[in-house]
Amino acid sequence: MGNKRKINGGSCNYSLSNPKKRRTISADKSLSTPSKIFNLPNELVSKILLHVAASSSIDIFNAMLSCKLFNKQANDDYFYQKRSLEQFPLSRWYLTDGVLSFFKRCEKSGNVEALYRKGMVEYFSFHLRKKSGLEALMKAANAGHLESTYVAGVILVCSEDESTIEEGKRLLSHIKTNQEIKECREKLEEIRRTIWLKQDEEFLRPKKLFDCPVKHNIKRGWNEDEDYMHCEACKWNREIANVCRNLSGVSREYY
């Protein structure tokens, strides 16, 4: 039999089945003293848990299992909006029903990483749900998610509508530094390896690129010392071509 002792809304469990263990517990005052965290204001506890949730899904999950108070507070939609997904694989093919349900809760709560992953799969995997995929990417982009801004901007630039193209260019202009572009490229390469791509030569083929007054000779690869890296038009033309090559499902020679 176990005995449960409640402490200011939390709970602590310890066993009394072993007499020796019972004597040890009573002799150790630290084990019978209420944890100081339960004396903190709920708002401060929530801030601490939110920081944990944004850093590690495993750590927040363990915290929720350890205490009813933590479980109640961290089960709020706002926590799912901020949950870190770094410890989950990018591919959804091998996720359990429980993890998929968790991802849906994150998406519904507006978690930008979950929306990015949903958008990438729905828009680019066989082109089955392009509308909902773009909506997810745009929602994450408008919330400031860097990688969603990168991909959604290129999708819009590849439109045939002039106003949509300009909206795509506006989105891309929010990515300011070469380091940010490099991070977007690396994330794109990583997620591309986890989704099925339909081969389509005309998919994601830009109709109108940025106009470069100098007409730099753009080379493939990454070299921040090249002159065209300081030309906004050439820089984004190269990135548009990079996304199109990676996500059209056809060989790079088409671009």
Side-chain angles (χ1 to χ4, degrees):
M1 294 289 294
N3 185 38
K4 177 179 285 189
R5 178 178 179 179
K6 292 187 175 296
I7 302 176
N8 296 345
S11 62
C12 299
N13 294 305
Y14 53 85
S15 172
L16 296 181
S17 59
N18 189 325
K20 292 183 180 180
K21 190 176 293 186
R22 181 169 64 246
R23 286 196 298 271
T24 302
I25 290 175
S26 62
D28 188 347
K29 293 183 179 180
S30 65
L31 292 177
S32 61
T33 303
S35 174
K36 292 182 180 180
I37 196 168
F38 294 116
N39 295 324
L40 297 175
N42 285 340
E43 295 78 8
L44 183 55
V45 173
S46 291
K47 287 183 178 180
I48 295 171
L49 292 175
L50 190 61
H51 179 76
V52 175
S55 303
S56 169
S57 279
I58 293 177
D59 289 345
I60 192 62
F61 179 72
N62 289 333
M64 292 171 71
L65 288 178
S66 71
C67 175
K68 289 182 178 179
L69 174 64
F70 295 166
N71 182 66
K72 181 180 179 181
Q73 293 204 14
N75 204 35
D76 186 83
D77 281 345
Y78 186 66
F79 278 80
Y80 282 85
Q81 181 185 13
K82 302 297 183 181
R83 290 282 285 265
S84 169
L85 302 181
E86 288 187 5
Q87 290 154 322
F88 292 93
L90 290 172
S91 175
R92 296 192 175 192
W93 299 111
Y94 305 107
L95 298 181
T96 64
D97 291 341
V99 176
L100 287 173
S101 177
F102 165 77
F103 265 86
K104 290 185 181 297
R105 175 87 184 266
C106 290
E107 292 165 8
K108 187 177 179 181
S109 301
N111 185 296
V112 290
E113 178 64 21
L115 290 169
Y116 171 71
R117 296 186 186 194
K118 175 186 178 181
M120 292 296 289
V121 171
E122 293 193 349
Y123 195 91
F124 295 104
S125 189
F126 299 107
H127 314 168
L128 296 177
R129 294 186 290 273
K130 290 198 291 185
K131 182 179 179 180
S132 61
L134 181 57
E135 287 175 351
L137 288 169
M138 286 297 296
K139 186 175 181 180
N142 290 330
H145 189 256
L146 194 68
E147 292 85 356
S148 296
T149 302
Y150 180 76
V151 176
V154 172
I155 291 174
L156 297 183
V157 166
C158 291
S159 168
E160 296 183 356
D161 178 69
E162 189 68 32
S163 62
T164 304
I165 293 173
E166 291 305 313
E167 173 65 12
K169 291 181 178 180
R170 184 194 66 80
L171 270 181
L172 293 176
S173 69
H174 291 307
I175 304 176
K176 302 295 186 182
T177 68
N178 293 336
Q179 180 60 35
E180 289 178 337
I181 294 176
K182 190 175 182 180
E183 291 173 6
C184 291
R185 275 178 160 243
E186 291 173 350
K187 186 66 172 286
L188 178 69
E189 289 280 354
E190 186 180 3
I191 200 169
R192 181 183 64 84
R193 294 191 291 267
T194 70
I195 59 179
W196 293 94
L197 296 175
K198 177 182 178 181
Q199 292 190 351
D200 186 347
E201 295 179 24
E202 298 304 318
F203 179 65
L204 271 193
R205 185 178 286 274
K207 311 300 187 294
K208 183 179 180 180
L209 293 172
F210 288 77
D211 184 35
C212 172
V214 182
K215 307 300 181 186
H216 290 110
N217 180 25
I218 301 179
K219 303 174 184 178
R220 289 185 181 180
W222 186 269
N223 188 344
E224 297 183 8
D225 295 327
E226 295 286 354
D227 290 339
Y228 69 80
M229 286 300 298
H230 304 289
C231 172
E232 286 294 309
C234 289
K235 179 171 69 176
W236 284 116
N237 286 343
R238 186 191 64 170
E239 294 310 311
I240 291 167
N242 173 66
V243 175
C244 293
R245 282 196 300 266
N246 273 286
L247 297 174
S248 66
V250 298
S251 64
R252 294 173 182 265
E253 285 68 27
Y254 283 100
Y255 294 92

